[in-house]
Amino acid sequence: MTVISKNRPTREDYSFDLNKALTSIVSVQSRIPSDAFTASVLGTERAGNGVVIGNDGLVLTIGYLITEAETIWLTDHNGSAVQGHVLGYDQESGFALIQALGQLNVEAIQIGKSSSLRENDRLIIAGHGGIENSVDAEIISIREFAGYWEYLLESAIFTAPAHPNWGGAGVIAETGELVGIGSLFIQHETTGDMTADGNMIVPIDLLQPIFEDLLNIGRPNKKARPWLGLFGAEVEGSIVVAALTSDGPADRADIRVGDIITAVSSARVTTLANFFRNVWAQGEAGIEIPLEVDRDGEILDISISSVARSDMLKQPRLH
């Protein structure tokens, strides 16, 4: 367990019952088969946090902790551990729901609205373990975030200082309500060439529109976006292929590391966000994605047969 020696929240600074709110945070530990699609990138042993949002043992976390998990263990603030089962996972937001298969001695936290947050607002980034594993943070910015793994958030929340065990951490507003889930460690640019460590938070408002679908069918009830298996990087106004998923759609189409993607279906692209939006605008998963590629000065037209990312993954086992 990571013990945070500074930037801890204190009970006196908040009008709500801080200790009670922090008991809603549980530890999430998962084991993934060695032959799972994500095993080589995310590992076979994963650990982070989750937040109890239902008194029946419903836990909200970040999806990469439990993707393709064959076993999940949840540990509450008293140290009691129970197994969990994945109920649903949303590829677009990154949210996942786990159902505890035993009794968690935890009261659910109230869900708030991330749309009410503003820059400079104070937040608590809460890990399992109470105040000692929580950080008193501030919102640095609320803005678009594009992740190289074909991921895009319109209004991601960026905070500082960083929580060292950010994955699935509960993000609690000054009202005592849950307003986000910890997703990434990032570095903010500050004055000059200086950087500050922080976290990227998935806003809680993305949960409500998909909540019932995740409970009932395990995913949002809509067609999946096309996925290419292509890791892009922005370099001086260009999209450069930095890596490929082995035997993924882009790899099979003979896209190569170092290729520069200049257009999607004749629409010029210069940022990752613009690239993703143009790919997704072509239609649902399974559609052909036409790319214009600059390879060592030669312009190539390459079509990629997209797939649904979820089709590459092992599905949760029934208990």
Side-chain angles (χ1 to χ4, degrees):
M1 179 182 295
T2 302
V3 177
I4 299 164
S5 59
K6 59 181 179 179
N7 302 118
R8 293 177 182 167
T10 59
R11 291 187 295 273
E12 294 76 17
D13 290 338
Y14 294 93
S15 59
F16 64 91
D17 187 335
L18 178 58
N19 282 343
K20 180 180 177 182
L22 295 180
T23 62
S24 69
I25 312 299
V26 297
S27 166
V28 177
Q29 294 180 304
S30 63
R31 183 185 295 275
I32 286 77
S34 59
D35 62 343
F37 181 70
T38 59
S40 62
V41 176
L42 298 175
T44 58
E45 303 277 347
R46 303 175 196 169
N49 310 281
V51 187
V52 177
I53 61 170
N55 290 327
D56 57 351
L58 183 63
V59 175
L60 177 65
T61 189
I62 201 70
Y64 58 74
L65 292 177
I66 52 77
T67 300
E68 302 186 283
E70 60 181 1
T71 58
I72 298 172
W73 284 95
L74 306 171
T75 305
D76 66 20
H77 64 286
N78 290 320
S80 299
V82 301
Q83 277 198 282
H85 173 67
V86 178
L87 287 179
Y89 175 31
D90 174 32
Q91 301 278 349
E92 294 185 16
S93 67
F95 283 144
L97 291 177
I98 304 169
Q99 178 62 56
L101 299 178
Q103 182 67 42
L104 287 171
N105 299 308
V106 177
E107 186 173 332
I109 196 169
Q110 184 80 20
I111 292 178
K113 289 191 173 296
S114 49
S115 58
S116 66
L117 300 175
R118 300 292 181 268
E119 288 186 10
N120 302 317
D121 282 358
R122 290 177 62 194
L123 297 172
I124 297 169
I125 315 298
H128 174 251
I131 288 176
E132 290 74 14
N133 286 292
S134 299
V135 168
D136 208 345
E138 180 179 313
I139 297 177
I140 302 301
S141 65
I142 300 174
R143 55 182 169 80
E144 179 181 86
F145 172 79
Y148 60 84
W149 57 96
E150 301 178 57
Y151 178 76
L152 181 65
L153 292 180
E154 301 287 345
S155 299
I157 302 166
F158 295 85
T159 61
H163 194 296
N165 185 20
W166 59 86
V171 181
I172 303 171
E174 291 184 283
T175 58
E177 297 172 319
L178 184 72
V179 290
I181 295 292
S183 178
L184 298 173
F185 171 86
I186 56 93
Q187 288 191 315
H188 304 288
E189 292 184 2
T190 58
T191 55
D193 295 328
M194 302 294 289
T195 59
D197 293 345
N199 296 125
M200 189 278 280
I201 309 300
V202 180
I204 199 66
D205 288 1
L206 296 180
L207 179 63
Q208 191 277 330
I210 60 172
F211 181 70
E212 292 299 328
D213 286 344
L214 293 185
L215 286 179
N216 295 323
I217 61 174
R219 57 175 176 76
N221 188 18
K222 63 179 181 179
K223 299 295 185 180
R225 289 170 170 171
W227 181 77
L228 305 182
L230 182 159
F231 298 152
E234 293 181 17
V235 180
E236 298 179 350
S238 297
I239 306 303
V240 179
V241 178
L244 296 164
T245 299
S246 179
D247 201 35
D251 188 26
R252 293 195 295 268
D254 197 34
I255 295 290
R256 302 177 188 176
V257 171
D259 284 351
I260 299 172
I261 299 171
T262 54
V264 177
S265 188
S266 76
R268 309 298 293 180
V269 292
T270 57
T271 67
L272 279 177
N274 184 236
F275 171 51
F276 298 154
R277 288 191 179 100
N278 277 281
V279 169
W280 298 334
Q282 303 307 305
E284 63 193 59
I287 197 169
E288 293 286 324
I289 306 295
L291 301 184
E292 181 184 273
V293 174
D294 181 337
R295 180 177 295 163
D296 298 325
E298 181 183 2
I299 303 302
L300 306 173
D301 291 317
I302 299 178
S303 183
I304 301 178
S305 299
S306 68
V307 301
R309 190 196 313 246
S310 59
D311 290 346
M312 311 290 288
L313 306 176
K314 288 182 178 291
Q315 298 305 306
R317 296 191 312 174
L318 296 176
H319 291 264

